[in-house]
Amino acid sequence: MTTTIPALGTRTAEGSALQAVLLDMDGTLVDTEGFWWDVEVEIFAGLGYTLDETWRHVVVGGPMSRSAGFLIEATGADITLAELSVLLNDGFEARIGRTLPLMPGAARLLVELAAHGIPTALVSASHRRIIDRVLASLGPQHFALTVAGDEVERTKPHPDPYLLAAAGLGADPARCAVIEDTATGVAAAEAAGCHVVAVPSVAPITPAARRTVVTSLEEVDLPFLRGLMAATVN
């Protein structure tokens, strides 16, 4: 876990049940879920294998150990998990070095949260080296802390990353709003006891208790998040 600006755990808006906002990265703030798949396809093509498009829903949103392990097992490729992880990170880093498109509404939402002093954390299953590269485009000043997938013993879909982020911000997980794009991330946030706003990127996500589904971050602003939390508390 890396803290990028001073802790903001006590800076919550008067009368608001919202204590912090915790955001996923790939597919939520940056339009990069397709990048990961493209890199996986290219690497396995070089190994002599063609990936089945239906596997994309299996590997999206999870830790690299799970997605890479699945692809090795599914294809039977002669490559170790460690070797594949290096190739995936190298390939992805090369792609984001060329372009890094933000999701619609992402920049506006981050600016709005920062302007109102809302404690905000970036919580990703991606490794630290990738997060630090992406932060250069997102703006590290927008996040009080960041949690990478290789910095926790159990990453998503386990609750550990979100529990760590909430604790780092001095917030009650039940009063944190999490914004996620995959079922794996949603499962992690809900297991941590957070209220989830799902913005599906690759696979559909259905509404549920303490889970609100929207089609774009352009639908999400601070009054929206406060309204969700207030409704939950009341």
Side-chain angles (χ1 to χ4, degrees):
M1 180 174 69
T2 297
T3 301
T4 55
I5 60 177
L8 303 174
T10 60
R11 291 173 55 188
T12 54
E14 184 178 356
S16 172
L18 179 66
Q19 288 187 341
V21 177
L22 317 177
L23 302 108
D24 174 55
M25 187 177 76
D26 294 301
T28 299
L29 292 176
V30 289
D31 191 7
T32 50
E33 290 291 12
F35 286 16
W36 283 111
W37 179 248
D38 290 345
V39 170
E40 289 160 350
V41 167
E42 289 177 4
I43 290 172
F44 278 90
L47 296 171
Y49 299 92
T50 299
L51 299 188
D52 191 317
E53 182 69 23
T54 62
W55 296 346
R56 184 173 181 176
H57 291 177
V58 179
V59 301
V60 68
M64 183 174 293
S65 58
R66 188 196 73 183
S67 57
F70 169 83
L71 292 174
I72 291 173
E73 182 176 355
T75 60
D78 184 19
I79 188 171
T80 67
L81 182 60
E83 291 169 339
L84 180 55
S85 295
V86 171
L87 292 177
L88 288 172
N89 276 321
D90 286 349
F92 184 81
E93 196 166 2
R95 281 183 176 268
I96 64 175
R98 296 194 293 268
T99 178
L100 186 57
L102 301 188
M103 298 299 287
R108 185 266 312 153
L109 178 60
L110 292 176
V111 169
E112 181 181 12
L113 294 173
H116 288 84
I118 302 298
T120 305
L122 184 67
V123 183
S124 176
S126 290
H127 290 186
R128 169 56 56 188
R129 60 180 282 196
I130 299 299
I131 287 181
D132 287 344
R133 287 290 302 272
V134 174
L135 277 172
S137 295
L138 286 175
Q141 72 276 9
H142 292 131
F143 304 97
L145 60 86
T146 59
V147 178
D150 56 343
E151 295 173 340
V152 290
E153 185 174 347
R154 302 188 309 170
T155 189
K156 305 171 187 179
H158 298 286
D160 306 35
Y162 282 114
L163 291 174
L164 181 63
L169 294 176
D172 177 357
R175 295 177 67 180
C176 292
V178 169
I179 304 179
E180 272 280 359
D181 72 304
T182 67
T184 299
V186 167
E190 291 181 341
C194 304
H195 192 120
V196 179
V197 177
V199 193
S201 60
V202 175
I205 298 173
T206 58
R210 297 180 62 81
R211 181 196 310 166
T212 302
V213 180
V214 298
T215 59
S216 168
L217 283 182
E218 293 183 316
E219 300 175 42
V220 181
D221 56 17
L222 186 52
F224 175 86
L225 295 173
R226 284 178 172 157
L228 291 179
M229 299 303 296
T232 301
V233 171
N234 294 334

XYZ file of all heavy atoms in Angstrom, residues 59-131:
528
model
N -11.037 -14.407 -17.347
C -9.794 -13.802 -16.861
C -9.952 -12.339 -16.465
O -9.072 -11.778 -15.810
C -8.678 -13.925 -17.918
C -8.425 -15.386 -18.242
C -9.024 -13.160 -19.192
N -11.062 -11.703 -16.827
C -11.201 -10.276 -16.558
C -11.391 -10.018 -15.070
O -12.091 -10.751 -14.377
C -12.386 -9.671 -17.353
C -13.723 -10.202 -16.852
C -12.370 -8.146 -17.286
N -10.719 -8.982 -14.585
C -10.970 -8.485 -13.244
C -10.278 -9.183 -12.105
O -10.284 -8.708 -10.987
N -9.648 -10.311 -12.368
C -9.045 -11.065 -11.279
C -7.559 -10.801 -11.138
O -6.960 -10.058 -11.905
N -6.936 -11.433 -10.128
C -5.489 -11.315 -9.971
C -4.763 -11.986 -11.128
O -5.278 -12.928 -11.742
C -5.224 -12.048 -8.651
C -6.356 -13.003 -8.508
C -7.541 -12.289 -9.109
N -3.565 -11.519 -11.407
C -2.810 -12.078 -12.522
C -2.533 -13.562 -12.327
O -2.546 -14.342 -13.293
C -1.500 -11.312 -12.712
C -0.696 -11.782 -13.904
S 0.755 -10.774 -14.212
C -0.022 -9.233 -14.703
N -2.300 -13.984 -11.085
C -2.016 -15.398 -10.834
C -3.177 -16.276 -11.273
O -2.978 -17.374 -11.803
C -1.729 -15.614 -9.344
O -2.826 -15.189 -8.552
N -4.417 -15.777 -11.079
C -5.582 -16.564 -11.472
C -5.769 -16.577 -12.982
O -5.946 -17.626 -13.600
C -6.849 -16.019 -10.816
C -8.079 -16.911 -11.022
C -9.364 -16.176 -10.720
N -9.673 -15.199 -11.764
C -10.714 -14.375 -11.726
N -11.516 -14.385 -10.684
N -10.946 -13.529 -12.712
N -5.730 -15.393 -13.598
C -5.969 -15.317 -15.043
C -4.851 -15.993 -15.831
O -5.122 -16.745 -16.769
C -6.118 -13.851 -15.475
O -4.979 -13.093 -15.126
N -3.613 -15.749 -15.445
C -2.490 -16.371 -16.144
C -2.505 -17.878 -15.937
O -2.252 -18.651 -16.877
C -1.171 -15.774 -15.664
N -2.794 -18.310 -14.721
C -2.859 -19.741 -14.433
C -3.940 -20.426 -15.240
O -3.743 -21.545 -15.752
N -5.081 -19.759 -15.377
C -6.169 -20.332 -16.172
C -5.747 -20.508 -17.625
O -6.004 -21.545 -18.242
C -7.405 -19.439 -16.098
C -8.482 -19.810 -17.088
C -9.384 -20.827 -16.813
C -8.575 -19.152 -18.316
C -10.362 -21.195 -17.733
C -9.550 -19.499 -19.241
C -10.449 -20.528 -18.947
N -5.101 -19.492 -18.192
C -4.720 -19.555 -19.605
C -3.659 -20.622 -19.854
O -3.678 -21.292 -20.892
C -4.232 -18.181 -20.070
C -5.307 -17.094 -20.120
C -4.689 -15.744 -20.450
C -6.394 -17.447 -21.134
N -2.745 -20.786 -18.914
C -1.741 -21.847 -19.059
C -2.408 -23.210 -19.053
O -2.113 -24.082 -19.887
C -0.693 -21.747 -17.930
C 0.166 -20.488 -18.101
C 0.192 -22.995 -17.916
C 1.099 -20.222 -16.935
N -3.332 -23.396 -18.119
C -4.015 -24.683 -18.017
C -4.917 -24.932 -19.226
O -4.972 -26.045 -19.763
C -4.846 -24.723 -16.734
C -5.558 -26.051 -16.507
C -6.291 -26.106 -15.195
O -6.182 -25.140 -14.408
O -6.986 -27.114 -14.949
N -5.615 -23.874 -19.677
C -6.563 -24.032 -20.785
C -5.853 -24.349 -22.098
O -6.370 -25.108 -22.931
C -7.411 -22.774 -20.927
N -4.677 -23.771 -22.298
C -3.962 -23.975 -23.558
C -2.944 -25.114 -23.492
O -2.592 -25.695 -24.524
C -3.208 -22.694 -23.966
O -2.260 -22.356 -22.931
C -4.178 -21.537 -24.174
N -2.457 -25.396 -22.296
C -1.390 -26.386 -22.170
C -0.043 -25.835 -22.578
O 0.893 -26.596 -22.869
N 0.094 -24.511 -22.597
C 1.346 -23.877 -23.033
C 2.494 -24.234 -22.097
O 2.319 -24.341 -20.877
C 1.162 -22.363 -23.095
N 3.663 -24.367 -22.654
C 4.863 -24.708 -21.890
C 5.523 -23.423 -21.399
O 6.528 -22.961 -21.941
C 5.834 -25.521 -22.771
C 7.060 -25.982 -21.992
O 6.998 -25.991 -20.747
O 8.072 -26.320 -22.642
N 4.913 -22.841 -20.367
C 5.428 -21.616 -19.779
C 5.025 -21.589 -18.319
O 3.947 -22.075 -17.961
C 4.891 -20.370 -20.519
C 5.588 -19.095 -20.023
C 3.373 -20.263 -20.390
C 5.259 -17.858 -20.850
N 5.889 -21.078 -17.465
C 5.569 -21.035 -16.043
C 4.746 -19.788 -15.724
O 4.718 -18.820 -16.502
C 6.834 -21.011 -15.180
O 7.528 -19.766 -15.394
C 7.746 -22.178 -15.527
N 4.086 -19.823 -14.576
C 3.305 -18.670 -14.150
C 4.186 -17.440 -13.982
O 3.812 -16.332 -14.380
C 2.587 -18.998 -12.833
C 1.676 -17.913 -12.253
C 0.559 -17.576 -13.228
C 1.093 -18.376 -10.912
N 5.363 -17.624 -13.422
C 6.281 -16.497 -13.226
C 6.720 -15.901 -14.556
O 6.776 -14.674 -14.728
C 7.496 -16.949 -12.417
N 7.043 -16.770 -15.522
C 7.474 -16.297 -16.841
C 6.353 -15.545 -17.547
O 6.571 -14.480 -18.136
C 7.923 -17.473 -17.701
C 9.218 -18.123 -17.230
C 9.498 -19.440 -17.933
O 8.541 -20.056 -18.469
O 10.669 -19.874 -17.945
N 5.141 -16.085 -17.471
C 4.009 -15.443 -18.128
C 3.672 -14.109 -17.475
O 3.343 -13.140 -18.166
C 2.791 -16.371 -18.105
C 1.521 -15.839 -18.765
C 1.781 -15.427 -20.211
C 0.413 -16.883 -18.705
N 3.782 -14.030 -16.155
C 3.481 -12.785 -15.450
C 4.406 -11.659 -15.901
O 3.970 -10.521 -16.096
C 3.603 -12.988 -13.936
O 2.626 -13.898 -13.471
N 5.678 -11.980 -16.090
C 6.635 -10.970 -16.570
C 6.264 -10.506 -17.969
O 6.248 -9.295 -18.257
C 8.071 -11.531 -16.556
C 9.023 -10.565 -17.266
C 8.540 -11.763 -15.128
N 5.934 -11.445 -18.845
C 5.555 -11.088 -20.216
C 4.287 -10.236 -20.242
O 4.193 -9.272 -21.016
C 5.348 -12.354 -21.047
C 6.586 -13.198 -21.349
C 6.195 -14.447 -22.111
C 7.608 -12.380 -22.138
N 3.306 -10.574 -19.406
C 2.055 -9.816 -19.368
C 2.285 -8.394 -18.885
O 1.785 -7.429 -19.485
C 1.050 -10.528 -18.459
C 0.456 -11.832 -18.995
C -0.357 -12.530 -17.912
C -0.415 -11.558 -20.216
N 3.042 -8.237 -17.814
C 3.310 -6.895 -17.293
C 4.121 -6.073 -18.294
O 3.848 -4.879 -18.504
C 4.049 -6.979 -15.957
C 3.114 -7.171 -14.775
O 2.039 -6.580 -14.720
N 3.516 -7.989 -13.821
N 5.113 -6.701 -18.920
C 5.930 -5.983 -19.911
C 5.068 -5.544 -21.093
O 5.165 -4.402 -21.561
C 7.071 -6.881 -20.416
C 8.174 -7.062 -19.390
O 8.170 -6.328 -18.378
O 9.026 -7.949 -19.590
N 4.220 -6.451 -21.581
C 3.376 -6.130 -22.723
C 2.372 -5.048 -22.411
O 2.137 -4.143 -23.230
N 1.768 -5.125 -21.226
C 0.790 -4.122 -20.847
C 1.447 -2.759 -20.656
O 0.922 -1.734 -21.098
C 0.086 -4.541 -19.556
C -1.017 -3.606 -19.127
C -2.278 -3.689 -19.707
C -0.796 -2.644 -18.162
C -3.293 -2.828 -19.330
C -1.802 -1.781 -17.775
C -3.051 -1.875 -18.357
N 2.598 -2.750 -20.007
C 3.305 -1.490 -19.774
C 3.686 -0.824 -21.092
O 3.632 0.400 -21.224
C 4.541 -1.745 -18.914
C 5.125 -0.483 -18.297
C 6.124 -0.783 -17.201
O 6.399 -1.962 -16.925
O 6.634 0.191 -16.621
N 4.058 -1.626 -22.085
C 4.389 -1.070 -23.397
C 3.162 -0.432 -24.034
O 3.249 0.627 -24.676
C 4.940 -2.163 -24.302
N 2.004 -1.051 -23.858
C 0.777 -0.516 -24.459
C 0.349 0.792 -23.798
O -0.054 1.731 -24.485
C -0.350 -1.546 -24.371
C -0.252 -2.623 -25.423
C -1.403 -3.590 -25.357
N -1.306 -4.544 -26.466
C -1.873 -4.383 -27.641
N -2.596 -3.311 -27.872
N -1.732 -5.275 -28.589
N 0.394 0.860 -22.477
C -0.056 2.086 -21.816
C 0.959 3.204 -22.001
O 0.649 4.371 -21.780
C -0.347 1.869 -20.321
C 0.920 1.475 -19.549
C -1.440 0.848 -20.128
C 0.696 1.359 -18.047
N 2.172 2.834 -22.430
C 3.150 3.866 -22.744
C 2.794 4.596 -24.026
O 3.204 5.734 -24.241
N 1.990 3.927 -24.886
C 1.588 4.548 -26.150
C 0.302 5.362 -25.995
O 0.172 6.441 -26.565
C 1.393 3.458 -27.216
C 2.664 2.711 -27.566
C 2.490 1.918 -28.840
N 1.549 0.822 -28.705
C 1.888 -0.410 -28.369
N 3.156 -0.699 -28.115
N 0.980 -1.372 -28.289
N -0.640 4.820 -25.233
C -1.921 5.517 -25.049
C -2.601 4.998 -23.798
O -2.461 3.822 -23.457
C -2.847 5.302 -26.265
O -4.098 5.956 -26.025
C -3.121 3.832 -26.504
N -3.322 5.869 -23.121
C -4.033 5.464 -21.917
C -5.361 6.218 -21.852
O -5.468 7.267 -21.233
C -3.203 5.752 -20.667
C -3.781 5.254 -19.345
C -4.021 3.761 -19.395
C -2.851 5.586 -18.190
N -6.386 5.691 -22.502
C -7.672 6.384 -22.518
C -8.401 6.246 -21.188
O -8.486 5.152 -20.619
C -8.439 5.655 -23.640
C -7.835 4.280 -23.673
C -6.396 4.448 -23.296
N -8.921 7.362 -20.689
C -9.719 7.327 -19.470
C -11.161 6.974 -19.814
O -11.642 7.251 -20.911
C -9.686 8.685 -18.767
C -8.315 9.219 -18.339
C -8.491 10.473 -17.490
C -7.508 8.183 -17.590
N -11.858 6.353 -18.867
C -13.265 6.057 -19.070
C -14.060 7.356 -19.015
O -13.699 8.297 -18.292
C -13.760 5.100 -17.988
C -13.061 3.746 -17.994
S -13.281 2.810 -19.526
C -15.003 2.300 -19.366
N -15.156 7.453 -19.757
C -15.977 8.666 -19.738
C -16.429 8.997 -18.311
O -16.932 8.125 -17.600
C -17.177 8.298 -20.618
C -16.657 7.232 -21.529
C -15.672 6.449 -20.712
N -16.207 10.227 -17.907
C -16.617 10.680 -16.583
C -15.573 10.488 -15.509
O -15.724 11.017 -14.392
N -14.481 9.763 -15.788
C -13.486 9.457 -14.760
C -12.755 10.705 -14.276
O -12.638 10.945 -13.066
C -12.486 8.432 -15.282
N -12.249 11.498 -15.205
C -11.487 12.688 -14.814
C -12.365 13.657 -14.032
O -11.946 14.204 -13.004
C -10.919 13.364 -16.061
N -13.591 13.866 -14.494
C -14.503 14.778 -13.803
C -14.812 14.307 -12.397
O -14.819 15.098 -11.443
C -15.789 14.903 -14.632
C -16.813 15.926 -14.111
C -17.850 15.279 -13.218
N -18.373 14.071 -13.837
C -18.866 13.066 -13.123
N -18.899 13.100 -11.812
N -19.319 11.978 -13.737
N -15.037 13.000 -12.215
C -15.360 12.465 -10.894
C -14.184 12.622 -9.938
O -14.374 13.032 -8.775
C -15.745 10.989 -11.004
C -16.069 10.284 -9.686
C -17.234 10.956 -8.971
C -16.368 8.809 -9.925
N -12.973 12.338 -10.382
C -11.806 12.464 -9.513
C -11.591 13.909 -9.080
O -11.275 14.178 -7.919
C -10.562 11.937 -10.228
C -10.515 10.426 -10.477
C -9.273 10.057 -11.287
C -10.552 9.655 -9.161
N -11.766 14.830 -9.996
C -11.623 16.247 -9.666
C -12.684 16.670 -8.650
O -12.404 17.397 -7.690
C -11.713 17.115 -10.934
C -11.839 18.588 -10.573
C -10.491 16.891 -11.819
N -13.904 16.196 -8.831
C -14.999 16.551 -7.927
C -14.754 16.012 -6.517
O -14.938 16.733 -5.524
C -16.318 16.000 -8.464
C -17.526 16.350 -7.595
C -18.821 15.778 -8.133
O -18.764 14.917 -9.047
O -19.890 16.165 -7.632
N -14.318 14.767 -6.414
C -14.054 14.184 -5.103
C -12.927 14.936 -4.393
O -13.016 15.220 -3.188
C -13.690 12.704 -5.244
C -14.803 11.780 -5.744
C -14.255 10.372 -5.993
C -15.962 11.729 -4.754
N -11.884 15.275 -5.131
C -10.762 16.000 -4.541
C -11.178 17.403 -4.101
O -10.792 17.872 -3.034
C -9.607 16.079 -5.541
N -12.001 18.061 -4.913
C -12.437 19.424 -4.597
C -13.254 19.482 -3.308
O -13.248 20.494 -2.601
C -13.250 19.992 -5.759
N -13.958 18.388 -2.997
C -14.788 18.351 -1.784
C -14.109 17.625 -0.631
O -14.740 17.363 0.401
C -16.135 17.687 -2.103
C -17.039 18.546 -2.941
N -16.937 18.596 -4.314
C -18.043 19.394 -2.595
C -17.844 19.434 -4.788
N -18.522 19.929 -3.773
N -12.835 17.301 -0.791
C -12.081 16.692 0.288
C -12.535 15.297 0.669
O -12.418 14.899 1.832
N -13.059 14.554 -0.297
C -13.510 13.194 -0.013
C -12.312 12.252 -0.051
O -11.636 12.154 -1.072
C -14.572 12.732 -1.037
C -15.774 13.674 -1.050
C -14.999 11.296 -0.745
C -16.520 13.752 0.269
N -12.028 11.531 1.021
C -10.915 10.576 1.011
C -11.118 9.524 -0.075
O -12.179 8.906 -0.169
C -10.980 9.941 2.403
C -11.674 10.960 3.251
C -12.681 11.604 2.338
N -10.113 9.336 -0.899
C -10.236 8.484 -2.079
C -9.028 7.565 -2.189
O -7.894 7.995 -1.979
C -10.347 9.350 -3.347
O -11.429 10.265 -3.197
C -10.608 8.497 -4.568
N -9.284 6.293 -2.521
C -8.198 5.334 -2.697
C -8.351 4.607 -4.023
O -9.465 4.371 -4.496
C -8.184 4.319 -1.550
N -7.226 4.246 -4.614
C -7.195 3.426 -5.815
C -6.868 2.000 -5.378
O -5.843 1.764 -4.723
C -6.129 3.944 -6.787
C -6.036 3.252 -8.148
C -7.287 3.537 -8.974
C -4.787 3.713 -8.892
N -7.746 1.059 -5.719
C -7.587 -0.330 -5.261
C -7.622 -1.238 -6.482
O -8.668 -1.415 -7.104
C -8.706 -0.713 -4.265
C -8.488 -2.120 -3.742
C -8.764 0.292 -3.115
N -6.485 -1.830 -6.828
C -6.384 -2.582 -8.078
C -5.727 -3.939 -7.865
O -4.890 -4.112 -6.976
C -5.569 -1.779 -9.097
O -5.378 -2.503 -10.290
N -6.106 -4.899 -8.707
C -5.430 -6.194 -8.721
C -4.154 -6.142 -9.550
O -3.357 -7.076 -9.520
C -6.363 -7.277 -9.270
N -3.944 -5.048 -10.277
C -2.711 -4.893 -11.047
C -1.525 -4.708 -10.116
O -1.668 -4.283 -8.968
C -2.812 -3.684 -11.982
O -3.730 -3.927 -13.025
N -0.337 -5.014 -10.626
C 0.866 -4.902 -9.814
C 1.282 -3.440 -9.644
O 0.887 -2.567 -10.422
C 2.003 -5.704 -10.453
C 1.796 -7.190 -10.378
N 2.728 -8.112 -10.782
C 0.736 -7.922 -9.918
C 2.279 -9.343 -10.592
N 1.067 -9.249 -10.082
N 2.120 -3.201 -8.632
C 2.552 -1.837 -8.310
C 3.204 -1.151 -9.503
O 2.951 0.038 -9.745
C 3.514 -1.895 -7.119
C 4.261 -0.602 -6.807
C 3.346 0.573 -6.583
N 2.373 0.322 -5.516
C 1.365 1.136 -5.236
N 1.175 2.242 -5.963
N 0.512 0.849 -4.273
N 4.017 -1.845 -10.257
C 4.706 -1.208 -11.386
C 3.701 -0.664 -12.397
O 3.938 0.381 -13.007
C 5.671 -2.184 -12.071
C 5.011 -3.419 -12.645
C 5.992 -4.368 -13.315
N 6.352 -3.882 -14.647
C 6.933 -4.657 -15.567
N 7.228 -5.928 -15.279
N 7.219 -4.186 -16.760
N 2.572 -1.351 -12.562
C 1.551 -0.906 -13.503
C 0.767 0.264 -12.922
O 0.503 1.266 -13.605
C 0.605 -2.066 -13.857
C 1.383 -3.213 -14.515
C -0.526 -1.584 -14.754
C 2.076 -2.854 -15.793
N 0.389 0.165 -11.665
C -0.368 1.244 -11.020
C 0.403 2.554 -11.078
O -0.157 3.609 -11.388
C -0.699 0.877 -9.561
C -1.785 -0.194 -9.517
C -1.159 2.106 -8.778
C -2.187 -0.597 -8.109
